[in-house]
Amino acid sequence: MGLLDRLGGRGLDPNLVKTSDPSPETAPAASKNVESFTGHRPSDTSESSYQELKLQIHRKIMSKMSEDEQEALSGSNLTRFEIQEIVSDYCNRALDEESIIISRGERIQIIDDICDEILGLGPIEPLLKDASISEIMINGASQVFVERAGKLFLTDVQFQDDTHLMNVIEKILSPLGRRVDEASPMVDARLADGSRVNIIIPPLALGGPTVTIRKFSKFKLDIQDLIKFGSLDQRMADFLEACVKARLNILVSGGTGSGKTTTLNTLSSFIPSDDRIVTIEDAAELKLQQEHVVRLESRPPNIEGEGAITIRDLVRNALRMRPDRIIVGEVRSGEALDMLQAMNTGHDGSLTTAHANSPRDALTRLETMVLMSGMDLPIRAIRNQISSAMDLILQQSRIRDGSRKITYISEVQGMEGDTIILQDIFQYVQDRIDENGKSIGHFEATGLQPSFLDKFRINGIDIPISLFDADNGGGRRK
């Protein structure tokens, strides 16, 4: 029996049938523009009935396709159009046999949804394809939020039930060799495009399986893009380019979702193409444009709780790989000590990120993370390590209007007594919030010159001193 001849006679609920003119003129748009999903879920009866009808048709078709046939479709070399034709035949026969009349647009929508189940991640596939969405937050089967332009919106997207959502989670994890179950209810993973995924399931997540997807931008952003977005101004960009080329050690600090990884990617674009770069991450997100890049990724423990390879293990190993630059996606724990030691032993020009609310907080976080390494070091020794290793701290913040800005560029000057001295070189000053809730402010130089200007000269980098004048471009609104 052929692939298209397996549809059985199980009936659909006639009370769910919604008739409408099937002609193209009256058919609703079948486009998967996510604007149609954003906002609160419709509560009218006809829309609810249509959703139930779509679910019933969906389940009928999928039940008539064996698992082998579904895997054959998803693993075949067929194009999406060819697979849509196969699914379309299933769908049309199901509707015709039950004498169900729905619009052409609704048929196309059902076929698209089933293709997304076979080829992609089901209901959230349109959200993944929408370039304007930066984050997807699934709070159980019936609630999906997205972040667009820094703001959160509730969508109309739903899963059939928790089992459906767990099937999608399995589809994410299986290619990576990862697992999630009651014994191991939390996992970090990534999608094929580099998007970061965090999954936590019951009994830890009381509202059902919870998935957070930080989408990886398909567009490679450069420093001019960040200037256009208002994340920094041209003077700051020129200064940061000079700092990277002069092999300064830079820490990008900020809160969750503040844009640290984007800024780190942008800074890495200034690294000369003849440098050997080793990147170390929990989930590989960095996309460097240089040719000589070695990418390392940590590994969680296996089902027996063994075999874990941590960021700290990879930092130690990287020191034996003859790197010119080491880039650590994020330091969270004892690897901070190994990173500082690498910076202090000839691996200048290293870059990393950390969670912190201010440059001063970033130093305190580094101290705490060094103590987490298990080494019994006095605080003064730790601070000496930090002050001699770290040259610059970039503070990245997400403003209330959803925009991301570099709010401080601060120099780590050294020790004075038992205190690490910080000096702000550039900063963002918020003037007001306009009637639309948008932050109005400007970037300004503090008028203080960094003490590492000699490193620019040693590396043949010409940077005008006027760049640091407090009145040079200050007050420009962003």
Side-chain angles (χ1 to χ4, degrees):
M1 188 176 291
L3 183 64
L4 303 180
D5 298 322
R6 300 176 58 90
L7 201 57
R10 187 173 54 183
L12 299 176
D13 185 349
N15 295 323
L16 296 177
V17 175
K18 186 178 82 166
T19 60
S20 60
D21 185 351
S23 65
E25 290 77 9
T26 58
S31 168
K32 289 242 177 177
N33 188 330
V34 181
E35 289 295 338
S36 64
F37 293 109
T38 301
H40 290 286
R41 222 173 281 108
S43 58
D44 60 282
T45 305
S46 61
E47 179 64 25
S48 174
S49 297
Y50 168 68
Q51 292 294 337
E52 292 179 40
L53 171 64
K54 184 171 71 173
L55 176 59
Q56 255 194 296
I57 296 172
H58 186 164
R59 283 176 172 167
K60 182 177 178 69
I61 294 172
M62 296 303 289
S63 69
K64 293 303 176 183
M65 282 188 184
S66 69
E67 289 186 7
D68 289 343
E69 288 169 339
Q70 293 178 35
E71 289 178 4
L73 285 179
S74 60
S76 69
N77 294 323
L78 298 177
T79 66
R80 183 181 176 92
F81 177 76
E82 291 169 330
I83 291 175
Q84 280 177 325
E85 284 191 319
I86 295 172
V87 174
S88 177
D89 283 334
Y90 268 101
C91 181
N92 290 333
R93 187 174 296 186
L95 294 172
D96 293 341
E97 286 184 356
E98 300 298 330
S99 300
I100 297 173
I101 302 174
I102 61 174
S103 73
R104 178 183 176 184
E106 289 165 341
R107 287 193 183 217
I108 294 173
Q109 187 70 56
I110 292 171
I111 292 167
D112 274 350
D113 287 346
I114 297 170
C115 286
D116 286 340
E117 289 291 340
I118 295 173
L119 298 175
L121 298 182
I124 62 170
E125 191 66 24
L127 307 182
L128 292 168
K129 293 175 181 175
D130 190 322
S132 69
I133 291 176
S134 56
E135 197 143 5
I136 302 169
M137 291 144 279
I138 305 169
N139 305 334
S142 60
Q143 192 180 67
V144 179
F145 283 84
V146 297
E147 181 187 86
R148 179 186 281 116
K151 299 289 186 178
L152 297 183
F153 300 93
L154 178 64
T155 73
D156 298 333
V157 176
Q158 290 186 345
F159 292 83
Q160 298 167 15
D161 48 34
D162 283 353
T163 301
H164 182 202
L165 177 51
M166 286 301 297
N167 288 339
V168 172
I169 289 173
E170 178 65 26
K171 204 167 187 179
I172 293 172
L173 297 179
S174 56
L176 304 174
R178 304 276 176 96
R179 65 182 182 89
V180 64
D181 51 34
E182 286 193 7
S184 180
M186 296 186 297
V187 68
D188 287 312
R190 71 175 188 276
L191 302 182
D193 66 354
S195 297
R196 184 193 307 172
V197 183
N198 174 265
I199 300 166
I200 182 167
I201 65 171
L204 301 187
L206 302 183
T210 302
V211 182
T212 308
I213 302 175
R214 177 81 54 82
K215 287 177 61 180
F216 187 82
S217 175
K218 293 179 174 59
F219 305 102
K220 198 167 194 58
L221 299 179
D222 59 24
I223 197 68
Q224 291 305 316
D225 291 316
L226 298 190
I227 294 172
K228 182 176 66 177
F229 297 152
S231 296
L232 74 169
D233 66 8
Q234 186 63 56
R235 294 173 305 155
M236 296 163 70
D238 293 341
F239 175 67
L240 292 177
E241 180 177 0
C243 289
V244 174
K245 290 181 176 178
R247 304 183 66 85
L248 298 183
N249 295 319
I250 301 174
L251 171 69
V252 181
S253 69
T256 301
S258 60
K260 300 186 298 297
T261 302
T262 299
T263 298
L264 189 64
N265 253 326
T266 305
L267 292 178
S268 69
S269 67
F270 299 133
I271 298 176
S273 59
D274 57 350
D275 277 2
R276 175 175 167 85
I277 307 168
V278 178
T279 68
I280 302 168
E281 301 172 86
D282 270 328
E285 292 181 282
L286 295 172
K287 302 291 184 183
L288 275 63
Q289 63 187 24
Q290 291 84 351
E291 183 179 2
H292 198 165
V293 178
V294 179
R295 304 173 70 205
L296 306 179
E297 186 179 60
S298 64
R299 186 178 71 185
N302 59 23
I303 195 168
E304 289 83 19
E306 300 176 348
I309 304 296
T310 66
I311 293 289
R312 187 173 188 188
D313 296 328
L314 295 178
V315 171
R316 289 172 175 171
N317 189 78
L319 300 179
R320 305 183 184 99
M321 298 174 68
R322 199 265 177 211
D324 290 309
R325 310 262 188 160
I326 298 175
I327 301 178
V328 179
E330 183 179 338
V331 288
R332 298 189 183 94
S333 184
E335 64 269 10
L337 175 60
D338 300 282
M339 186 72 195
L340 291 173
Q341 289 178 328
M343 291 175 173
N344 273 321
T345 54
H347 298 90
D348 295 331
S350 297
L351 307 171
T352 189
T353 74
H355 281 83
N357 295 323
S358 69
R360 177 60 61 184
D361 286 346
L363 296 177
T364 304
R365 282 270 296 146
L366 283 175
E367 288 181 27
T368 304
M369 288 187 285
V370 169
L371 291 172
M372 291 170 69
S373 69
M375 300 290 290
D376 187 16
L377 298 173
I379 292 296
R380 182 175 176 82
I382 295 173
R383 290 177 181 172
N384 272 323
Q385 281 270 357
I386 294 172
S387 63
S388 59
M390 204 64 64
D391 295 305
L392 205 65
I393 298 177
L394 271 67
Q395 182 63 37
Q396 186 99 15
S397 300
R398 181 165 58 176
I399 311 301
R400 285 189 61 185
D401 63 1
S403 62
R404 277 85 165 172
K405 298 187 185 296
I406 296 178
T407 50
Y408 291 97
I409 298 180
S410 304
E411 177 195 4
V412 182
Q413 287 196 308
M415 293 281 291
E416 190 172 288
D418 289 336
T419 304
I420 301 175
I421 303 302
L422 284 177
Q423 174 178 276
D424 296 335
I425 308 298
F426 296 96
Q427 62 184 5
Y428 172 74
V429 179
Q430 180 173 297
D431 298 321
R432 61 186 176 88
I433 300 291
D434 68 10
E435 60 277 6
N436 298 318
K438 183 176 176 58
S439 172
I440 305 298
H442 64 277
F443 297 102
E444 64 180 26
T446 61
L448 301 173
Q449 296 180 12
S451 60
F452 47 69
L453 288 178
D454 59 324
K455 289 191 177 182
F456 294 154
R457 289 189 289 271
I458 292 172
N459 287 276
I461 298 166
D462 184 23
I463 188 167
I465 299 301
S466 60
L467 195 73
F468 307 106
D469 291 347
D471 57 346
N472 181 14
R476 287 182 294 181
R477 298 299 189 263
K478 286 284 184 184

